[in-house]
Amino acid sequence: MSEEIRCWLVEREYDDKGLVTLTYATPDGESIYRRELAASAASGVTAAKGLTPDQLEAVADEETRDRYATEADRTASNYDPDEPI
């Protein structure tokens, strides 16, 4: 069984079809997990998720990695992992 990695919510995007895409990133911004769901279901979103390495995808762009690392740090500093955000 793979060890879980704590990932923090770094981005929330809404589209014109009523969907929201949540992006969780590792603290270093190197890997992300994206989840798309109905905007009405986004009320139970927590600040962090425990994910396995096989659920994550690499971030290729250095500028994006840096932004995600900054946002992950900000989220971790301001919220408990299970806190709604």
Side-chain angles (χ1 to χ4, degrees), residues 45-66:
V45 173
T46 57
K49 284 185 127 355
L51 301 162
T52 58
D54 63 318
Q55 292 177 287
L56 302 174
E57 59 185 81
V59 177
D61 177 72
E62 183 177 347
E63 185 177 317
T64 303
R65 283 193 306 265
D66 291 344

Side-chain angles (χ1 to χ4, degrees), residues 23-77:
T23 303
Y24 287 85
T26 54
D28 60 9
E30 297 280 329
S31 300
I32 60 167
Y33 169 79
R34 283 199 173 103
R35 180 173 177 210
E36 191 176 87
L37 59 141
S40 60
S43 62
V45 173
T46 57
K49 284 185 127 355
L51 301 162
T52 58
D54 63 318
Q55 292 177 287
L56 302 174
E57 59 185 81
V59 177
D61 177 72
E62 183 177 347
E63 185 177 317
T64 303
R65 283 193 306 265
D66 291 344
R67 181 169 58 87
Y68 285 165
T70 299
E71 285 301 311
D73 183 58
R74 184 188 64 78
T75 302
S77 296

Side-chain angles (χ1 to χ4, degrees), residues 3-37:
E3 185 175 324
E4 283 193 348
I5 300 166
R6 180 168 288 158
C7 296
W8 296 91
L9 184 65
V10 295
E11 194 170 71
R12 186 184 331 220
E13 295 178 329
Y14 293 88
D15 71 10
D16 59 353
K17 296 176 185 143
L19 296 175
V20 62
T21 302
L22 304 172
T23 303
Y24 287 85
T26 54
D28 60 9
E30 297 280 329
S31 300
I32 60 167
Y33 169 79
R34 283 199 173 103
R35 180 173 177 210
E36 191 176 87
L37 59 141

